[in-house]
Amino acid sequence: MVIKTVPLKIHRPSARKRRTLDDALARYTLAFDRLLQRLRPKLAGFEGPPTRFALQKLMDKDVMRELNRYDVQPFKDALKMDVASTLLSYLARVSAGKTASYPVARLSDETFDKRFGVLCDVYLNGRQFHREYERLLKKYSALRPLLFCRHDVKRDYSLWYNEANKRFYAKLYLLNSKSPLALHGTGAETSALRYVGPGETRLEESMRPRRYIILPLSFGKWQERHLEMALKNPGILKTAQLVKRDGEYYLNVNMVCPTAGPIRVRSLMGVARSLQGCLAVGLHEHEHSEIYFGRVFSSEDAYEPQKIDNMFLHRLANEVVRLASAYGSQIILYTLGEKNDLLAFEDAKPLLNMREYNLLADLVSYKAELNGLPRPIKISPARVFHTCPVCGSNSRKNRMNRELFLCTGCGYIRNVEELGARNLALMIRTYEKNRIVFKTTKHEGSIRFTNAILGFEYESPLDEYAFDRFLEALRQSIADTHGISKQRLSIHKKLARLNDVRDGIRLVES
Amino acid sequence: MSLYFETSCESLNKYNEELCGDKVEIIKNDRETIIVLSDGLGSGVKANILASLTSKIVVSMLKEGADIVDVVETIASTLPICNERLVAYSTFTILRMFDNGDAYIAEYDNPDIVILRNGKPLRLDKTETVIAGKTIKESTLRLQPDDICVVFSDGAVHAGVGKLLNLGWQHANIVEFLERSYKKDISAYAVQKLLLTACDSLYMHTPGDDTTVVVCKLRTPVVAHVMVGPPVNKEDDEAVVNELLRAEGKKIVCGGTTSQIVSRLSGRSLEVSLNYISPDVPPIAKIEGIDLVTEGIITLGKALEHIKCYQDGQVGRENAFNYRKDGASRLAQMLIEQCTGAEFVVGRALNPAHQNTGLPINLSLKLRLVTEIARYLRMLQKQVTVRYI
């Protein structure tokens, strides 16, 4: 499922509505921060990374009731979702051993005072001080984007359409019934609005205090296309976020995009960085069959990008997806960051830097799905440009010069970019072939089999049946897939696919 | 202590030529090993004749005690003169090594010899002598165990010209590549194959010139003592086991009963290793002080396959046992790569499970396998003895 975010600008809200919007954003931010602080001590209770469900369970009635002082009754579901997502990404970073400070929506007064004091001590230069102060102030006055967790006629948010003037409106539930900002009646301007949803629902006249506000939206042609799609199929409207940026208000609506019919995968396509072009693309049917190798936007095409901006990356991504669609390929990319592809050689650097390549990989991912291709696979870039496809030697010594790979293990030679694209395309096959290593430790008549990734430990008396018993324990272990991490699950699946589990494992004496 | 010279050579013919214009002659005797690489003028039949004549003359004369002056003068006056260029021409490199490590090198117009010591190239002091109008570069040195001598024809230096590399693979590039590829236990064959494959790849499998690589690695002799099967007479068990334990070099025991005998008589425990799983080969075991303990018939049969595969070269040598750690692969690897010779002590006690009653005893599976392994190892220039007990 591909989700696109369609930003819709709120058209010239009146002073009163601006006040309502600002007030809602501020209340949401305060409640968000409060909820984070409230949950912080409870997180220590988890042994491993918790699930979203477990985190949401922590936000029970008592905890949520405390938030009533911020008048955030309309946002409680959204707050739960938002806080759980934020904590999940924070905990994922922590469990991966990365540095991460506990999330906050905005700086508290104490933190601001402390940091301001540091700023005064450190920055003597006026311009630098000013810049840093601006940044600090921005963090202090930051407003958390307000999440609406569903498109619904009677809560959260909904889109409305006026057929007479072909304009769209947003109905946002921002107030509770006791709010002094609440109005009565629907207002004359909105009486012609039709709900963008099933049925012919129109706004009803009511004398009760109104918990929502109606806001006209302004949009361009691209947004209009998506809104028309929503008119035909309202089910594509998912969550939305209210954001304030540079004094303007936007409603970013997340919509499910229709995808083309699935394309049958016939080949594998590696998309790597390149020194001579923007990307090196290699298409392979299997290990010994190269279908295509080429560079996307290389100097040979007489195309020199003046500036690598988002538009250019979209063009690159479109080209990659076009090729993949033409050849029916499973796209394989890598993620740069923790590990580098080490393609740069002396003063020669890849045309795309790490950030640009990662961004491109994200664009390719959703564009591929939109075109009916399977979701691209992202792998580690660690061995891509230095691994010999013949003997498996993986060493930096294998790079002869800027262009050539010369294996010091077997003498195999190939253009380094061709090799990189090829390795990337076929790395998935290598993963399938690799055996899972189990360490064995013998101790006083017993033998222990362990695998840290699987969290597998089995001890048996050291006799002729030790190995059979271990295999049986392993078979039982891989049958249990409940609540295990993605990495473990993939190994479980890999072993489970084998006719004989012995073909997928290797024992190493520790 | 006398050294063992492990040699390996191979050539690439110029594209579309049936004969190679380079020729290698290797002569070994108790005292010395002489390697001659000659490269005949041009290519094809003519070059092949020039190179063959040159290498044969050099080897024969040096073996008989002639000095380099006589050798070069003989070559100059004997080689047939080319109709096109009106010269008699064949370049050569002579590497003469004595079993104490002393070496003499003479080079005429061939790319400089590369000698790697601990992975670094040795700088040779060369003297130039003009003999019969030819400038011969001579050098002498004392080689050490694990030194690797690499001799190659100019086809190696020209590899890749105008194809993958503009100026070809310069001598310095080859030296750098050899340095990078060096590993402590690398065999002469591996170095030779590596360099030749690189040249072939640079030529994009259509060599523009005959290319030959000869590699000689100096090794301290290591003999593998292989005990296969229990002796016919049980009384001999102890003596045979003691002999094995006292022996220098690699100690290998093949056979389940045999390993139990060794374990019992040596008082050392026998532990079956579960480290490697191969459905075709039974697991290995461990006895302290023994380098390798394997099962008998099946392992020997598989090891023979690997040794045959290695000896055949060309197609399957590099895949003969690489990357595999089962008993048979390890046995083959140990015999070929880690040992310069082998002494098989073959017990003739019968194992009913392995006998074909219709066959005489000397054709029993075990004995036949050992004989075959010995034969193939001899083809690989190993000194092998087989003793039956």
Side-chain angles (χ1 to χ4, degrees), chain A residues 245-280:
Chain A
R245 200 167 57 231
D246 302 328
E248 303 283 0
Y249 301 88
Y250 296 86
L251 185 69
N252 294 337
V253 179
N254 295 320
M255 293 186 188
V256 178
C257 289
T259 52
I263 294 175
R264 193 174 67 86
V265 173
R266 305 186 301 273
S267 58
L268 299 164
M269 178 170 157
V271 182
R273 291 201 294 176
S274 166
L275 296 169
Q276 294 167 44
C278 289
L279 294 168

Side-chain angles (χ1 to χ4, degrees), chain A residues 303-313 315 352 356:
Chain A
Y303 186 88
E304 297 270 343
Q306 298 295 313
K307 187 181 157 196
I308 296 175
D309 53 12
N310 279 1
M311 285 303 288
F312 180 71
L313 292 177
R315 283 186 60 190
L352 295 186
E356 288 158 353

Side-chain angles (χ1 to χ4, degrees), chain A residues 391 397 399-401 404 406-413 435 440 442 447 449 467 505 507-509, chain B residues 164-165 169 173 177 180-181 183 193-194 197-198 201-202 271-277 286 323 325:
Chain A
C391 71
K397 289 179 183 176
R399 184 83 177 267
M400 183 183 172
N401 56 29
L404 281 185
L406 170 53
C407 178
T408 54
C410 69
Y412 174 83
I413 287 180
R435 287 173 178 240
T440 61
K442 289 175 190 166
I447 182 165
F449 301 82
F467 184 62
I505 62 169
L507 300 184
V508 173
E509 205 163 305
Chain B
L164 285 170
L165 297 168
W169 213 17
N173 298 130
F177 175 64
R180 283 182 178 203
S181 315
K183 292 175 197 84
K193 194 76 190 168
L194 192 61
T197 309
S201 303
L202 280 169
E271 278 183 29
V272 176
S273 171
L274 294 172
N275 272 11
Y276 191 82
I277 307 155
K286 280 183 180 174
Y323 322 120
K325 289 179 179 172

